[in-house]
Amino acid sequence: MSGRSGGQQTFSDGLRFLAMGAALTLAVAPIFFFGCGRQLPIAPAPQSLHIGVLPDESQSMLEKRYLPLVAYLERSTGVACQLVLHDSYEQLQTAFENGDLDLAWLGGYTFVKLDRSHQAFPLVSRDRDMRFTSYYLTRADETATQWQEFRGKRFAFGSRLSTSGHLMPRFFMLEAGIQPESFFSAVIYTGAHDATAKVVRDGVVDLGVANGPIIESMFASGRIRKNEIRILQETPPYVDYVWACQSSLPAPLRTQLRDAFLNLSEADPQHAEILDSLLAEYFIPVHRDDFDALQTIVDRIDAEGTH
């Protein structure tokens, strides 16, 4: 896709920074019952597990993506599972902090914050999450080839707590010596990746940044067309999403959950459907130190205090 190589060169310093880290490691909406609970290590077996996911797309898309997984986790663990949807990243974070969620699909930014505040326990990530990227999006008829050409134009991030829709794009801009709020004429937060694609398409903003795989899935499903928006550039890779649980969840149940994800195989037709919905080929085990470089970036961005 045109313009990506320029983006890689522009962000080379940021990429080297992340590569160093990688080298060290490699409102609530309705609840859907499937009939995965929290317990202290010495408590009886949990009756149910409350599972939350980042609200980075519309609720109808979240149901479509995650309900098959929730049913699979129930079958694999023998514990009843409930999918709980939230209206914002902030609500999801608060629910986890309050102990209302046992297992959650978190972005790297949210995980780092929850690990510090509540010792979130990382289980697995998708194959792509150790080298994740964001897309800069503009209208299809835009002639610019790099985001630096949009000085004085209108720009959209996703959620303030989004790794791919805010944290890392902001980091790469700062590495290039650019403060978004002074570079663009307006900066808005759409709250979700599909919403960012739509405000670009509809001309509300001139440029936006969003989760790469979600944008690709929107193209593939026809939710947005390539004659409406185009990918201007792609960021360098970084560490992002993770399934994490409460540290108080019993170790045997944590192992069951981890193994259930690791056992998903594209060779199994039913598993393949679940993996496709999750935009994954397979899952890998992860550890806290996989997020060390991201933690450093979170500290820097939070210290800026401008967003």
Side-chain angles (χ1 to χ4, degrees):
M1 298 174 185
S2 64
R4 291 192 189 180
S5 60
Q8 299 285 355
Q9 294 172 355
T10 301
F11 297 133
S12 58
D13 291 340
L15 179 56
R16 283 196 295 271
F17 179 90
L18 292 176
M20 290 172 61
L24 294 174
T25 63
L26 176 264
V28 175
I31 296 176
F32 301 86
F33 290 83
F34 282 83
C36 301
R38 240 171 325 112
Q39 69 178 44
L40 295 174
I42 59 173
Q47 297 300 306
S48 65
L49 286 174
H50 296 79
I51 302 174
V53 297
L54 285 172
D56 52 8
E57 294 184 273
S58 67
Q59 289 198 354
S60 62
M61 280 304 304
L62 294 177
E63 295 166 23
K64 182 177 179 179
R65 284 200 193 286
Y66 296 105
L67 289 180
L69 172 68
V70 172
Y72 165 76
L73 292 177
E74 179 173 300
R75 295 192 301 270
S76 299
T77 62
V79 180
C81 294
Q82 306 170 12
L83 176 65
V84 185
L85 299 183
H86 298 82
D87 291 332
S88 69
Y89 284 53
E90 290 80 4
Q91 286 184 6
L92 175 69
Q93 179 174 329
T94 299
F96 194 97
E97 289 174 334
N98 291 342
D100 296 330
L101 293 174
D102 305 293
L103 175 68
W105 176 236
L106 305 172
Y109 195 4
T110 311
F111 168 73
V112 162
K113 287 181 171 292
L114 285 173
D115 186 36
R116 278 190 167 177
S117 70
H118 209 66
Q119 293 187 319
F121 190 92
L123 294 173
V124 296
S125 294
R126 298 171 301 186
D127 53 293
R128 71 195 324 155
D129 292 322
M130 293 295 99
R131 291 184 60 81
F132 204 82
T133 60
S134 302
Y135 287 169
Y136 286 93
L137 308 170
T138 190
R139 285 181 57 85
D141 57 3
E142 172 61 56
T143 59
T145 60
Q146 298 186 40
W147 65 263
Q148 291 90 336
E149 298 176 56
F150 286 79
R151 179 185 293 274
K153 299 293 183 69
R154 301 161 300 172
F155 180 76
F157 287 118
S159 167
R160 292 177 184 271
L161 289 180
S162 172
T163 313
S164 56
H166 176 226
L167 177 76
M168 293 311 303
R170 180 180 287 274
F171 169 73
F172 290 127
M173 288 179 181
L174 292 175
E175 286 292 281
I178 289 175
Q179 173 60 249
E181 283 72 17
S182 58
F183 183 80
F184 300 108
S185 63
V187 174
I188 69 170
Y189 293 84
T190 68
H193 302 291
D194 54 358
T196 298
K198 291 174 183 176
V199 296
V200 171
R201 177 196 64 191
D202 297 341
V204 177
V205 297
D206 305 291
L207 182 70
V209 66
N211 173 311
I214 286 181
I215 297 304
E216 296 287 2
S217 74
M218 292 182 74
F219 283 142
S221 66
R223 285 186 287 156
I224 201 159
R225 298 180 178 85
K226 291 186 177 181
N227 63 356
E228 295 174 323
I229 68 171
R230 69 180 175 91
I231 298 166
L232 184 77
Q233 285 177 270
E234 182 176 14
T235 68
Y238 51 86
V239 174
D240 199 349
Y241 294 91
V242 57
W243 280 98
C245 66
Q246 298 284 355
S247 294
S248 60
L249 211 62
L253 184 53
R254 293 201 305 261
T255 299
Q256 276 189 299
L257 288 167
R258 181 201 64 195
D259 290 349
F261 282 102
L262 297 180
N263 288 335
L264 285 168
S265 169
E266 287 192 317
D268 182 316
Q270 291 185 335
H271 289 188
E273 289 185 10
I274 295 172
L275 288 167
D276 287 347
S277 293
L278 301 176
L279 307 179
E281 293 184 5
Y282 55 88
F283 283 88
I284 59 174
V286 292
H287 306 88
R288 284 189 171 95
D289 55 7
D290 290 314
F291 297 86
D292 285 351
L294 187 64
Q295 177 69 74
T296 301
I297 293 172
V298 169
D299 291 342
R300 172 179 171 180
I301 297 300
D302 285 351
E304 290 284 333
T306 56
H307 57 281

